[in-house]
């Protein structure tokens, strides 16, 4: 049998974490150092590998209920190779070190089980109830695989060059950065998304580190949540413009 499809063979590598292609992650399991992966993202595996639901502590459950931010994870362990993918999203492997990584949980595909994650809040400049943004802080040492819709842009932040990013396009940033949520509009007009420009809330980053943005303001449809209430309608809060856009795209 002959076909061009046979060119897409398994990629051989000695790396534990590697990319099979731009949209598929390959992780080698060696009987120790389990990984945590987003539920339902295993597309194939080889060897003796088991998948178990990951336990959530009471603190994690409460944070998830209060903020909507969190991770639905499964533990992958055993001896073999696991392939992970999610809706053809582009996959990127990052090394987490002592500086830490802050990320929107919707873009996490997998991580080393040795890493710690907790929910944090980013408050808005205006102090309006419900207009903040919740994220995950990932700390420790290990690998994390992030997903983006298309190829991302990594922007360097320095003390003399701060960076502003759309709150619905930001994927991750260095935990050590100072972050403020704001809207480029007068406070009297904070409830509208910059008139007819379609632009709303943004995050301003200051310090030394990086910010990672994707060329899309929409999450993968499996995470779609239709915004509710006045804050969500006008691009504010945890769902914000995300809820507004997804409601139009996938409702």
């Amino acid at each position: 049998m002959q076909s061009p499809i046979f060119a897409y063979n398994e990629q051989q590598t000695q790396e534990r974490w590697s990319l099979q292609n731009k949209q598929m992650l390959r992780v080698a399991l060696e009987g120790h150092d389990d990984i945590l992966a987003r539920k339902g993202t295993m597309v194939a595996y080889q060897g003796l590998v088991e998948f178990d639901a990951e336990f959530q502590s009471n603190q994690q459950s409460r944070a998830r209920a209060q903020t909507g931010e969190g991770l639905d994870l499964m533990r992958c362990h055993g001896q073999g190779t696991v392939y992970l993918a999610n809706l053809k999203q582009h996959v990127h492997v990052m090394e987490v070190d002592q500086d830490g990584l802050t990320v929107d949980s919707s873009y996490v595909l997998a991580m080393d089980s040795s890493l710690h994650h907790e929910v944090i809040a980013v408050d808005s400049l205006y102090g309006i109830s419900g207009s903040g943004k919740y994220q995950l802080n990932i700390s420790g040492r290990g690998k994390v695989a992030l997903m983006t819709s298309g190829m991302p842009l990594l922007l360097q932040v320095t003390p003399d060059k701060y960076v502003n990013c759309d709150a619905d396009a930001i994927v991750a940033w260095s935990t050590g950065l100072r972050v403020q949520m704001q809207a480029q509009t007068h406070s009297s007009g904070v409830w509208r998304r910059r008139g007819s420009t379609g632009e709303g809330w943004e995050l301003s980053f200051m310090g030394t580190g990086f910010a990672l943005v994707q060329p899309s303001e929409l999450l993968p449809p499996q995470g779609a949540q239709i915004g509710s209430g006045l804050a969500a309608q006008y691009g504010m809060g945890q769902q914000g413009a995300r809820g507004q856009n997804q409601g139009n795209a996938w409702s």
Side-chain angles (χ1 to χ4, degrees), residues 88-188:
K88 298 190 294 185
Q89 295 279 288
H90 287 235
V91 181
H92 315 273
V93 179
M94 300 187 68
E95 185 81 36
V96 179
D97 54 21
Q98 67 271 12
D99 294 333
L101 181 70
T102 302
V103 62
D104 188 314
S105 63
S106 303
Y107 303 115
V108 176
L109 177 61
M111 67 174 73
D112 276 320
S113 61
S114 57
L115 292 173
H116 174 73
H117 57 90
E118 61 180 351
V119 177
I120 63 163
V122 178
D123 293 326
S124 75
L125 176 64
Y126 299 95
I128 298 174
S129 177
S131 64
K133 185 176 178 67
Y134 293 99
Q135 303 285 334
L136 284 182
N137 258 1
I138 300 178
S139 57
R141 288 185 177 274
K143 297 286 183 70
V144 58
L146 303 180
M147 306 176 292
T148 62
S149 296
M151 296 303 292
L153 172 66
L154 186 72
L155 295 168
Q156 296 294 331
V157 183
T158 61
D160 59 346
K161 185 179 71 174
Y162 61 86
V163 171
N164 295 322
C165 300
D166 188 290
D168 293 324
I170 187 71
V171 174
W173 65 82
S174 304
T175 297
L177 292 175
R178 300 190 307 278
V179 188
Q180 188 172 66
M181 194 171 186
Q182 61 187 15
Q184 292 295 338
T185 183
H186 297 296
S187 58
S188 60

Side-chain angles (χ1 to χ4, degrees), residues 33-88:
D33 296 335
D34 303 344
I35 67 164
L36 301 177
R38 180 177 293 275
K39 287 182 180 179
T41 57
M42 184 275 291
V43 295
Y45 71 92
Q46 297 174 320
L48 299 176
V49 180
E50 295 184 5
F51 305 89
D52 297 313
E54 178 64 5
F55 170 77
Q56 283 192 336
S57 67
N58 290 334
Q59 181 180 2
Q60 290 172 328
S61 298
R62 286 195 300 269
R64 181 69 177 272
Q66 293 172 358
T67 67
E69 190 76 8
L71 287 170
D72 289 323
L73 296 171
M74 60 181 178
R75 181 174 292 267
C76 310
H77 57 96
Q79 291 259 3
T81 304
V82 178
Y83 296 90
L84 304 169
N86 186 57
L87 296 169
K88 298 190 294 185

Side-chain angles (χ1 to χ4, degrees), residues 89 107 149 168-169 214 216-220 241-242 245-246 249-250:
Q89 295 279 288
Y107 303 115
S149 296
D168 293 324
Q214 66 175 1
S216 171
E217 296 182 8
L218 297 178
L219 292 174
R242 169 188 314 170
N245 291 339
Q246 288 180 330
W250 292 296

